[in-house]
Amino acid sequence: VRDSGAVGAAGVLSCDGTPFSPPFAELPGVRAATCLCTAAGPDLTLLLSPIPQLQRKLSLAIHHYRRSLFLDAPRTSAKSRARLIQCSAPHAGRWLRALPSSPARRLTDPQFSAALALRLGQPQPALEHHPVYCVPTCPKHSPASRSPVPPMGDHFFHCPAGAPSTGAANPLYRHNMILCLLMEVCRRHDYITDTRESHLALPDGNKVDAIISNILRHTNPVAVDLTVVHPLAESYFRAAAISPKALLLQREHAKNVKHRAAVRQCRMDFLPFVFNTYGGWGGVVRDFFYALFPVLQSDGAEPSSVSWPLLAVRLAFIDDLAVSLQRLNAMMLLSRASRK
């Protein structure tokens, strides 16, 4: 039902007949719908004309509006704002859409609960019912401090005191598993990979995580350094609240500053592979792996029969990595929660 006076004054009528506020009416999808209703007039048959992805455009407009209300609300904390923004980084929500068609894409119930609570900023079920402490050297939440780790569990991803030295409770375990997965994909595409610690030292005393070589793709060997950054760490959440890519770009720049000069002395190129805890990909790692799965199609076109097999392999790799990262996050949280 259309009311031309209400549409002119406030933009668009909601389902119950009350007008939406002007900021909402100015959103692209809603503005297009308003023009359509105005053009239809009393004859609403025009609304039945095919409009590509109209429902999607209207839904996105509503979601973007509600998201902006949350981000701009005075009661929204800086960390909540940073979490929501970083959850929209490239591929950060991919694990929620992955079909559990293989063991690599399956999570147990506790793992799924932990991963979802982390994404939503809710207390971890495993940390709510009994006090959990960090390592004895932790300045804030050691057993001696009698101050348990907050039930959100974010502390475990960025504690400067480190973690237990073995098993999934150690963030280095997550780092090494993600590195192994990436190196396996590189080997499938004819890269020679070297992760032997004795071969990774640089002239300045630092180390990279791997050296990869493929003479058909790179003139020089490529040194790779991987990091999974937690956006809610005290030193990161301000950058994380700027935009989905701001923190990832910051960490890529920091890695370049740290390693590039020493890597060049060794006549190698350097690539920083950066992810965030929620599954977002940095631009460098995204460009590198997209180049391994080229999909030849025009913008907006459906994949052709030739490009679809490559696109399917790319999507399968993204899904495997997305689910694996969230499984490793959950394993770390659940392992730490079991250490009372």
Side-chain angles (χ1 to χ4, degrees):
V1 178
R2 171 182 166 273
D3 185 319
S4 59
V7 170
V12 186
L13 287 177
S14 65
C15 295
D16 61 2
T18 57
F20 286 123
S21 60
F24 179 81
E26 288 302 313
L27 294 171
V30 179
R31 190 162 57 245
T34 305
C35 296
L36 180 63
C37 291
T38 305
D43 183 6
L44 296 181
T45 56
L46 285 177
L47 291 176
L48 301 179
S49 60
I51 300 176
Q53 300 182 334
L54 177 61
Q55 180 175 345
R56 181 175 184 271
K57 292 174 182 176
L58 290 173
S59 298
L60 282 176
I62 294 171
H63 294 322
H64 284 312
Y65 179 66
R66 296 184 65 183
R67 180 176 183 271
S68 65
L69 287 181
F70 177 82
L71 292 175
D72 296 338
R75 65 181 182 180
T76 302
S77 67
K79 289 193 173 182
S80 294
R81 188 175 293 108
R83 176 186 54 78
L84 181 60
I85 289 174
Q86 290 302 305
C87 281
S88 61
H91 302 314
R94 186 76 198 183
W95 66 279
L96 291 167
R97 294 181 289 165
L99 295 176
S101 56
S102 68
R105 300 179 204 165
R106 295 173 191 160
L107 300 173
T108 64
D109 288 347
Q111 289 172 352
F112 187 86
S113 296
L116 196 59
L118 182 67
R119 180 178 175 86
L120 297 178
Q122 297 299 306
Q124 289 291 333
L127 300 178
E128 285 189 289
H129 305 300
H130 60 80
V132 176
Y133 297 94
C134 195
V135 294
T137 54
C138 177
K140 292 184 177 180
H141 302 293
S142 66
S145 70
R146 297 186 179 181
S147 174
V149 172
M152 299 297 185
D154 294 304
H155 174 81
F156 292 136
F157 292 101
H158 58 79
C159 175
S165 58
T166 59
N170 193 327
L172 189 59
Y173 177 86
R174 177 186 63 175
H175 171 279
N176 291 341
M177 292 298 101
I178 295 297
L179 182 65
C180 285
L181 194 155
L182 298 180
M183 293 301 102
E184 180 181 353
V185 174
C186 288
R187 287 190 290 272
R188 290 177 187 171
H189 288 80
D190 301 324
Y191 278 85
I192 298 173
T193 65
D194 189 352
T195 56
R196 290 172 291 180
E197 190 170 350
S198 60
H199 291 190
L200 304 176
L202 299 177
D204 61 358
N206 291 315
K207 292 183 178 180
V208 293
D209 291 321
I211 297 174
I212 60 178
S213 304
N214 184 326
I215 196 170
L216 298 179
R217 293 179 179 270
H218 306 279
T219 305
N220 300 317
V222 179
V224 171
D225 202 56
L226 168 71
T227 186
V228 182
V229 59
H230 188 54
L232 300 191
E234 291 296 329
S235 54
Y236 297 146
F237 77 86
R238 292 174 182 83
I242 296 174
S243 73
K245 298 181 181 180
L247 177 59
L248 298 167
L249 287 171
Q250 182 193 81
R251 296 308 302 153
E252 286 175 349
H253 176 71
K255 289 288 184 183
N256 279 320
V257 170
K258 181 178 180 181
H259 292 306
R260 186 178 290 275
V263 166
R264 284 180 175 173
Q265 291 182 34
C266 300
R267 297 183 180 180
M268 295 188 294
D269 298 327
F270 177 68
L271 292 177
F273 286 177
V274 180
F275 301 90
N276 73 29
T277 307
Y278 305 117
W281 291 36
V284 173
V285 65
R286 190 170 68 251
D287 291 345
F288 176 84
F289 283 100
Y290 273 26
L292 298 186
F293 306 105
V295 181
L296 303 177
Q297 63 184 71
S298 59
D299 292 341
E302 290 295 325
S304 67
S305 58
V306 176
S307 64
W308 171 246
L310 282 173
L311 179 60
V313 173
R314 177 198 287 185
L315 295 178
F317 162 62
I318 294 172
D319 288 348
D320 288 347
L321 181 59
V323 176
S324 295
L325 178 55
Q326 297 311 312
R327 182 190 300 109
L328 292 164
N329 287 340
M331 289 172 62
M332 181 165 63
L333 286 167
L334 295 172
S335 297
R336 299 296 290 271
S338 66
R339 299 169 183 261
K340 301 181 182 181

